[in-house]
Amino acid sequence: MSLYIGREASKLWKRICTETSTEIVLLGENWKYILGGLIFQYIHGLAARGVHYLHRPGPTLQDVGFFLLPELGQDKAYISETVFSIIFLSFILWTFHPFFSKSKKIYTVLIWCRVLAFLVACQTLRIMTFYSTQLPGPNYHCREGSKLARLPRPDNIVEVLFINFPRGVLYGCGDLIFSSHMIFSLVFVRTFYKYGTHRFVKNCAWLIVVIQSLLIVASRKHYTVDVVVAWYTVNLVVFFLDKKLPELPDRSSGAATQLLPLSKDTKIKEENHKLMNGNSGESGDWRPRTQINGKIMEEGNVEATINGA
């Protein structure tokens, strides 16, 4: 029993080391995209913090979702955040599953390049919309009478740049249309639906996002319009942007070797293979050739050779 456990542990360690070396190569080629996407997450948080200074509390707007869904109340508002945390953490763990799982379909670095591209595009649209019009926040801390509904003028720029993290992120007001929670949830679930392997889990993921949408409205964190706009905006952005981005290589076809740098011997073998097949490897020298009596002749010279010319 101990021998079997030791053998499996050794295989797992080798798998982790191999995957790490591959991902390091990919990270070296794509680190600018990863870093840019992470920096934009801070910019998005900074923009949400800035609009809080412009927020003015007022009467809650008439909303069909508020009539249809019972209000959870402040003591149960954590339910919505709990569901969102499950979606967020589950997706992060899934993107790193190639380090431990035998079934490898994605590369962690490449999948995060795509996810961050989707997030940046959607968050850019979100910043434009909530700065265009500020609505009175329906959340409890954004209503009239709450000390957090209005932010006093900052004393210095440092106070703005630090966003009062994490309190400033959790208790923001004014950044309504459209929901940031729905951006993350929909981007994550759409990515998992495309590159995941278990259909039942995929369908459950979509069901959880629907429940998350209802909980956001029931906890009065957003108006129904914030959730509805997020559903069609994020899906359209991901749909069109996904067609523009290069597709992920298929790991099952041995494409992993194409991502690693080729050695000098490997390149020489490839050149010899091309020459043996009658192609020099140059794009402009792809004319068909025919082999006669052990000699490789071009198609235009075949007839003359046969006639003895």
Side-chain angles (χ1 to χ4, degrees), residues 13 15 29 32 73 76 79 102 113 131 134 227 230 241 300 307:
W13 176 247
R15 188 181 305 125
E29 298 175 353
K32 294 181 180 179
K76 296 181 180 179
I79 298 177
K102 295 181 180 180
C113 284
Y131 266 104
Q134 289 85 46
V227 176
L241 194 59
N307 293 334

Side-chain angles (χ1 to χ4, degrees), residues 225-239:
V225 65
D226 303 335
V227 176
V228 173
V229 171
W231 266 97
Y232 64 73
T233 303
V234 176
N235 279 292
L236 287 174
V237 169
V238 174
F239 175 79

Side-chain angles (χ1 to χ4, degrees), residues 2 43 55 116 119 131 166 187-188 208 227 242 246 250 272 309:
S2 60
I43 296 175
H55 176 259
L116 288 172
L119 292 177
Y131 266 104
V187 168
F188 289 170
I208 293 175
V227 176
D242 189 57
D250 185 8
N272 292 336

Side-chain angles (χ1 to χ4, degrees), residues 56-162:
R56 295 296 178 265
T60 303
L61 302 180
Q62 184 175 349
D63 190 285
V64 64
F66 293 176
F67 287 108
L68 298 178
L69 296 175
E71 187 172 354
L72 290 178
Q74 287 183 281
D75 56 333
K76 296 181 180 179
Y78 69 91
I79 298 177
S80 174
E81 287 297 325
T82 301
V83 174
F84 174 74
S85 300
I86 292 174
I87 296 174
F88 193 90
L89 295 176
S90 298
F91 180 80
I92 292 179
L93 293 176
W94 172 77
T95 60
F96 284 92
H97 84 273
F99 287 85
F100 311 98
S101 175
K102 295 181 180 180
S103 58
K104 305 174 182 178
K105 190 177 179 181
I106 63 170
Y107 294 98
T108 303
V109 171
L110 297 183
I111 204 73
W112 274 107
C113 284
R114 300 180 75 87
V115 168
L116 288 172
F118 298 149
L119 292 177
V120 168
C122 294
Q123 289 168 340
T124 300
L125 295 176
R126 181 174 187 261
I127 293 173
M128 294 170 58
T129 54
F130 67 61
Y131 266 104
S132 300
T133 303
Q134 289 85 46
L135 303 178
N139 211 333
Y140 305 105
H141 62 270
C142 298
R143 299 175 184 178
E144 190 69 54
S146 174
K147 296 180 180 179
L148 300 174
R150 297 190 182 191
L151 288 181
R153 185 180 297 274
D155 297 329
N156 50 61
I157 189 64
V158 176
E159 183 180 344
V160 179
L161 294 178
F162 277 104

Side-chain angles (χ1 to χ4, degrees), residues 285-301:
D285 192 22
W286 286 355
R287 293 169 291 180
R289 290 164 167 77
T290 306
Q291 186 173 359
I292 299 178
N293 295 332
K295 296 182 179 181
I296 299 175
M297 309 295 295
E298 295 184 7
E299 187 178 18
N301 298 329

Side-chain angles (χ1 to χ4, degrees), residues 191-247:
T191 304
F192 175 72
Y193 190 82
K194 182 176 181 180
Y195 298 105
T197 55
H198 302 286
R199 182 176 296 274
F200 175 76
V201 180
K202 294 178 183 180
N203 295 332
C204 290
W206 277 114
L207 178 61
I208 293 175
V209 174
V210 173
I211 296 174
Q212 168 74 12
S213 304
L214 301 176
L215 289 175
I216 289 176
V217 178
S219 60
R220 303 302 188 254
K221 293 182 178 180
H222 280 276
Y223 293 107
T224 306
V225 65
D226 303 335
V227 176
V228 173
V229 171
W231 266 97
Y232 64 73
T233 303
V234 176
N235 279 292
L236 287 174
V237 169
V238 174
F239 175 79
F240 287 107
L241 194 59
D242 189 57
K243 294 180 178 296
K244 300 295 182 180
L245 295 175
E247 188 52 76

